Amino acid sequence: MMPSPTALICWSGPFDPLEIKNAYLNLVKLGAITRRYSVNHYGLSSSPLQGGLPTDRLVAEWWLKSKRVLNLLERSQPLKFTIEKKIHVPGEIYSWKASDADRAKAAEVQKRNRTEFLSSFRDGLSVLSYERDDRGNGEFQLGRWDENLSYASSGNEGKL
């Protein structure tokens, strides 16, 4: 049973904004949104998946009774919104992270995107969708989330 009409699930492991497949799953398939960015969330990591980069993460919020999620469940289509900003992730990001010669390119993308996400969230934008092109490039799509549901009002404040 849902504890409130705005029941919220926040992933205990936020997702890497450089991982294109995770972004698509969380935002498009499950209908999560994100309004928070955690810089170097787990600290330094020797994982080859990180490629020696900081462990930056986007925090996924899955509002189970939001219009956004209910529309996906009932109609299998996302709600329309006005895209106010796009943040790009090149499809080569995986090979760049894995290559000593190209790792600096991945680090530059991470640094640029970190700045863009933090600025956008301060301006009240939310990540509401994600698209990939046929070459594997990804694009976070940001806009205004109009449902006025807040993390603090869910009774989960401080529980991440």
Side-chain angles (χ1 to χ4, degrees):
M1 185 155 124
M2 304 253 181
S4 75
T6 58
L8 166 68
I9 294 175
C10 277
W11 283 217
S12 60
F15 68 97
D16 185 339
L18 298 179
E19 291 292 327
I20 293 169
K21 292 175 184 173
N22 288 346
Y24 184 81
L25 171 68
N26 286 318
L27 299 166
V28 177
K29 292 297 189 182
L30 298 177
I33 65 162
T34 186
R35 300 180 282 184
R36 293 182 291 151
Y37 192 97
S38 179
V39 176
N40 205 17
H41 187 80
Y42 298 111
L44 297 177
S45 172
S46 60
S47 167
L49 295 175
Q50 277 306 125
L53 299 177
T55 55
D56 289 10
R57 296 294 185 263
L58 286 168
V59 178
E61 300 174 28
W62 193 28
W63 294 92
L64 301 177
K65 292 195 175 184
S66 67
K67 291 183 283 186
R68 175 181 177 79
V69 170
L70 293 174
N71 195 66
L72 275 173
L73 291 171
E74 294 167 5
R75 296 182 181 86
S76 298
Q77 62 185 6
L79 288 175
K80 304 278 188 225
F81 68 97
T82 301
I83 299 170
E84 295 187 33
K85 183 171 184 77
K86 297 177 181 182
I87 299 177
H88 303 278
V89 180
E92 300 87 3
I93 197 72
Y94 299 109
S95 62
W96 291 349
K97 288 189 334 182
S99 165
D100 290 338
D102 292 325
R103 194 162 295 123
K105 293 178 187 176
E108 184 55 38
V109 169
Q110 184 183 53
K111 182 179 176 183
R112 180 194 71 225
N113 286 2
R114 175 191 298 153
T115 299
E116 289 189 45
F117 279 118
L118 291 171
S119 173
S120 297
F121 293 157
R122 276 192 303 273
D123 291 341
L125 295 178
S126 302
V127 180
L128 300 175
S129 192
Y130 193 85
E131 284 191 355
R132 290 179 62 187
D133 66 21
D134 57 356
R135 293 175 300 165
N137 298 306
E139 176 181 88
F140 288 94
Q141 299 177 338
L142 290 77
R144 306 268 170 206
W145 192 49
D146 62 358
E147 296 197 48
N148 295 321
L149 304 175
S150 79
Y151 186 66
S153 69
S154 70
N156 289 315
E157 55 269 44
K159 297 177 186 174
L160 178 64

